[in-house]
Amino acid sequence: MSSNHFDFPVLSFLCSKCIFRRFCLIFSLFIGVIILTCQSTLAQDNSTSLENVLRKNELKYSNPDSSILVLKSQIDQFRGEKDTINLIKSLNELSSIHAHLLDYGNSYDGYWEALLLAEEINNEMLKAKIYQELGWLYSFYHRDEEALKYFNLGLSINKELYAQKTIDVSYIISDYFSLINFYRVNGNFEQAAHYVDSCFQLKDQTTNSLLYVTAEDGYLDGMNGNYQSALAKLDEALDYFEKNDRSYLIVIHTLIGKVYLKKGDLAKGAEHFNESLRLSEVFQSHSNYKLMSHEALASLYSQTRNFQDAFQHSREVNSINAEIFGPNSKNNKHLFAINDQYRLQKEKEKELIKEQHIANLENEERLNVLKLWLLGVVLCSLVIYGMLLVKNIRRKHKLEKKALAERRALELQKTNEILELKNKELTTTALQLIEKDEFIDKLKNSLSDDKGLVDVNSLKKMIKSVQGSPGSNWKEFEARFTAINQSFYENLQKKYPELTQTDLKICALVKLNFSSKEMASLLGISIESVHTSRYRLRKKFNIDRNENLGEFIAKF
């Protein structure tokens, strides 16, 4: 019985302990789900301003183990669903928590996996975010050159996206804020102040979104000896983060403590450093500031000869350094492995690039040869086409010219035929006039012989009424001749302006092949006068006796 009584409470205690553990596990998972739900809700807003990030930090870092557990579950889910964008965001969140817990090795792995995925889908916004996170990570390792390189890479991408109106100004301010922290931690206050000014030039419509920059500005004022302005700005930031993100108070109290140290108020400085350390136990974030606070307190207590507390804080500094960078640190071991893998990967990439370069050169050479052949074929084709085109144009032009000449010849022939026909008609008419005059002359002569038989006077009057004068006969002839041969007189007078009216009449009759007798009859002159006129024409035309006058005049 006694043993039973003894065993029952022990068993009850063990059962209670198991139940408690299960309850704690379930509670942690519940808290983790709430945290990730809040993160997802915030992630739906495209703005990645520092204000939104700081608001969710208190939830994320108050229970980091639960956040890590749920994030890993989500990563497996997104990987299975091939939801690359949400996978990248989850990897970023997980790596950020690892970095705040000083687990830089796992943080490094997560960021690089996220970066490779972002490059695969070519998402510039996500790449800029990862470059910024890698900059923070390298700055924790004190690898300043790499940190600055990645900060500037993220900034250049966001500037491009901002110029394209893809993102708002909060992304640029976030990048500037990273550079402010980098230069402030490295003691380059002038450069940090430059980026503080840049932030205020790009400030949002609400001043609260810039209070994290205001805190940095206050710290820089303190380092420059402007303590009143510095503490006013830092107190303003303190009030803001007390209400919005208590996890960031770790940073604020450290900055205030350093300003008081610079001012010489060691007691106030120690108060704020201790408050920062207290908050570090509540929120598992900004662990690098935990190291800063221990270092500051060790130095402060040494100055006040509180060697016991100084030794205690120095031991904490050594412990944290050993945990992060010591020979047995998991971060260091991981970093060595990463460096070796990175070196091997780079060598492999160089070899692949070299092989690819050789292949590209060979392909380029083949391509150049092919281009030359194609160029030759194209040139030959163009030459042949040009020759055929010119030949075709010439042939077409020749045919058109021939057709035009034939058409003109035909028209000229028709014109000449019509002209010849009309001239023949004109000649016939002129000859009929001549015959009429001859007939009338004969009739007159007959009547003269038979005076007693007819009334001569009456008959002569009748004959005179039908008989035309030589002048009227010529006028009728000339009118019809001019209508048919419109440019004949003009051409003659143009070339031989000394020709008289009689000369022109003789030329017209010569053109129609009238005999001297017919000319004399039509013109009312003697045959000898006709011969004299023809002789004068030969002299004026300056033609030989052997040359035919009619053929010469026919040319006009």
Side-chain angles (χ1 to χ4, degrees):
M1 292 290 294
S2 62
S3 76
N4 289 337
H5 282 289
F6 174 78
D7 291 337
F8 180 73
V10 171
L11 183 61
S12 298
F13 173 76
L14 291 174
C15 290
S16 298
K17 192 173 182 180
C18 290
I19 291 169
F20 179 73
R21 285 180 178 174
R22 288 177 183 174
F23 174 77
C24 288
L25 179 60
I26 292 168
F27 181 73
S28 297
L29 288 171
F30 177 70
I31 292 296
V33 170
I34 293 173
I35 292 167
L36 267 294
T37 304
C38 292
Q39 292 172 0
S40 300
T41 304
L42 291 169
Q44 288 174 359
D45 183 6
N46 288 331
S47 173
T48 58
S49 66
L50 264 250
E51 184 181 10
N52 288 339
V53 174
L54 293 176
R55 281 179 179 176
K56 64 181 180 179
N57 279 346
E58 187 168 347
L59 288 172
K60 184 167 66 175
Y61 297 122
S62 61
N63 197 339
D65 291 337
S66 297
S67 296
I68 290 171
L69 189 62
V70 177
L71 278 167
K72 284 182 176 178
S73 173
Q74 280 195 346
I75 286 168
D76 291 338
Q77 178 188 344
F78 293 141
R79 209 187 296 276
E81 294 173 355
K82 296 183 179 179
D83 186 350
T84 309
I85 290 177
N86 281 321
L87 176 58
I88 292 169
K89 290 179 179 177
S90 298
L91 284 168
N92 262 351
E93 291 288 341
L94 182 60
S95 299
S96 175
I97 294 173
H98 282 312
H100 280 280
L101 294 175
L102 305 180
D103 187 358
Y104 297 150
N106 283 321
S107 178
Y108 186 96
D109 274 351
Y111 285 137
W112 276 103
E113 184 182 355
L115 181 60
L116 291 172
L117 290 169
E119 286 179 346
E120 281 181 14
I121 64 173
N122 196 26
N123 190 313
E124 293 296 312
M125 195 181 300
L126 290 175
K127 280 165 66 176
K129 176 64 178 170
I130 298 166
Y131 283 142
Q132 186 191 85
E133 298 292 348
L134 281 170
W136 285 107
L137 190 60
Y138 277 113
S139 69
F140 296 152
Y141 272 117
H142 303 292
R143 294 172 66 177
D144 297 338
E145 188 176 343
E146 289 91 342
L148 197 57
K149 168 189 167 185
Y150 286 110
F151 281 142
N152 285 321
L153 274 173
L155 177 60
S156 64
I157 291 174
N158 279 336
K159 279 185 175 180
E160 235 177 275
L161 294 173
Y162 180 66
Q164 298 167 5
K165 298 184 178 179
T166 307
I167 59 172
D168 59 43
V169 74
S170 63
Y171 288 79
I172 307 294
I173 293 176
S174 178
D175 287 317
Y176 284 157
F177 178 71
S178 303
L179 289 164
I180 293 167
N181 273 269
F182 173 81
Y183 285 116
R184 186 251 297 164
V185 170
N186 284 279
N188 190 344
F189 299 143
E190 184 179 350
Q191 196 66 25
H194 168 73
Y195 284 106
V196 167
D197 292 340
S198 299
C199 283
F200 284 123
Q201 288 174 6
L202 296 172
K203 65 182 178 180
D204 291 333
Q205 294 177 352
T206 57
T207 56
N208 287 341
S209 62
L210 281 173
L211 280 169
Y212 49 91
V213 181
T214 301
E216 296 291 336
D217 189 31
Y219 177 79
L220 294 175
D221 284 346
M223 293 303 102
N224 289 323
N226 302 323
Y227 302 117
Q228 186 176 356
S229 171
L231 291 173
K233 291 175 182 177
L234 286 165
D235 285 341
E236 183 185 359
L238 189 67
D239 292 339
Y240 174 75
F241 292 115
E242 184 72 43
K243 297 174 185 176
N244 292 278
D245 178 21
R246 295 182 67 246
S247 68
Y248 199 71
L249 292 174
I250 297 168
V251 178
I252 300 298
H253 280 293
T254 303
L255 296 179
I256 294 174
K258 287 191 174 185
V259 171
Y260 276 116
L261 278 185
K262 176 79 173 175
K263 187 180 179 183
D265 191 340
L266 302 185
K268 279 282 188 182
E271 181 184 331
H272 284 284
F273 287 129
N274 281 312
E275 180 62 17
S276 179
L277 290 174
R278 188 189 69 77
L279 290 167
S280 295
E281 298 301 323
V282 179
F283 304 105
Q284 301 297 311
S285 65
H286 307 290
S287 298
N288 52 327
Y289 283 88
K290 183 178 180 180
L291 180 63
M292 291 181 194
S293 294
H294 279 302
E295 287 176 340
L297 285 170
S299 174
L300 187 151
Y301 288 133
S302 294
Q303 292 179 43
T304 58
R305 295 184 173 276
N306 187 350
F307 297 113
Q308 184 177 355
D309 287 342
F311 175 74
Q312 182 66 29
H313 286 291
S314 294
R315 191 167 62 180
E316 288 292 336
V317 170
N318 292 333
S319 174
I320 293 171
N321 278 327
E323 182 184 349
I324 303 172
F325 304 111
N328 297 321
S329 168
K330 61 180 181 180
N331 287 325
N332 260 4
K333 291 176 182 177
H334 202 89
L335 182 61
F336 295 146
I338 288 169
N339 285 339
D340 189 54
Q341 290 172 9
Y342 185 74
R343 178 180 59 79
L344 292 173
Q345 184 66 23
K346 281 296 177 185
E347 288 177 359
K348 187 177 179 181
E349 285 178 4
K350 284 181 181 178
E351 191 64 31
L352 286 172
I353 290 170
K354 187 178 178 181
E355 290 176 3
Q356 186 64 38
H357 183 63
I358 292 170
N360 288 340
L361 287 175
E362 291 176 353
N363 289 334
E364 191 175 345
E365 188 176 351
R366 292 194 198 99
L367 197 61
N368 287 335
V369 172
L370 183 60
K371 284 180 179 177
L372 287 173
W373 275 103
L374 287 173
L375 184 61
V377 170
V378 170
L379 287 174
C380 289
S381 300
L382 287 173
V383 169
I384 293 169
Y385 176 77
M387 291 172 66
L388 291 173
L389 184 63
V390 170
K391 187 177 179 181
N392 185 51
I393 291 171
R394 285 181 176 176
R395 184 179 63 81
K396 188 176 179 182
H397 182 67
K398 191 175 180 180
L399 289 173
E400 288 177 353
K401 192 175 179 180
K402 185 179 178 181
L404 182 62
E406 289 176 353
R407 189 163 60 250
R408 285 179 177 175
L410 186 61
E411 289 175 356
L412 185 61
Q413 183 181 354
K414 286 182 179 179
T415 303
N416 290 335
E417 287 177 356
I418 293 169
L419 187 62
E420 186 178 354
L421 180 62
K422 288 184 177 181
N423 283 331
K424 284 181 179 178
E425 291 175 355
L426 181 61
T427 303
T428 303
T429 303
L431 291 175
Q432 287 175 352
L433 288 172
I434 293 168
E435 289 175 357
K436 183 191 75 171
D437 288 340
E438 289 178 350
F439 170 75
I440 291 172
D441 286 339
K442 288 179 182 179
L443 184 60
K444 285 169 73 177
N445 293 330
S446 299
L447 289 172
S448 298
D449 294 338
D450 300 322
K451 288 181 182 180
L453 298 177
V454 292
D455 187 353
V456 175
N457 291 328
S458 299
L459 191 59
K460 281 184 178 181
K461 286 180 182 180
M462 292 175 61
I463 292 170
K464 191 174 182 180
S465 64
V466 296
Q467 183 183 16
S469 65
S472 64
N473 289 341
W474 170 253
K475 284 180 182 180
E476 184 180 351
F477 169 81
E478 187 176 34
R480 298 183 66 180
F481 177 83
T482 305
I484 297 169
N485 303 278
Q486 294 178 0
S487 59
F488 177 73
Y489 288 140
E490 185 180 346
N491 293 337
L492 272 174
Q493 286 181 319
K494 190 175 181 180
K495 194 167 184 180
Y496 301 101
E498 69 277 8
L499 294 177
T500 64
Q501 288 297 319
T502 303
D503 293 335
L504 292 173
K505 293 177 182 179
I506 296 296
C507 288
L509 296 173
V510 170
K511 179 177 177 64
L512 296 178
N513 296 319
F514 276 68
S515 65
S516 297
K517 183 181 177 183
E518 292 168 342
M519 291 181 193
S521 176
L522 188 61
L523 294 174
I525 58 176
S526 64
I527 295 176
E528 287 76 12
S529 297
V530 172
H531 289 162
T532 303
S533 295
R534 290 173 66 99
Y535 174 74
R536 288 174 182 169
L537 279 175
R538 281 182 174 276
K539 288 185 69 175
K540 288 179 181 181
F541 291 150
N542 195 22
I543 58 175
D544 297 334
R545 293 179 64 86
N546 298 328
E547 191 173 351
N548 190 290
L549 180 63
E551 291 178 0
F552 177 81
I553 293 174
K555 296 175 184 178
F556 293 93

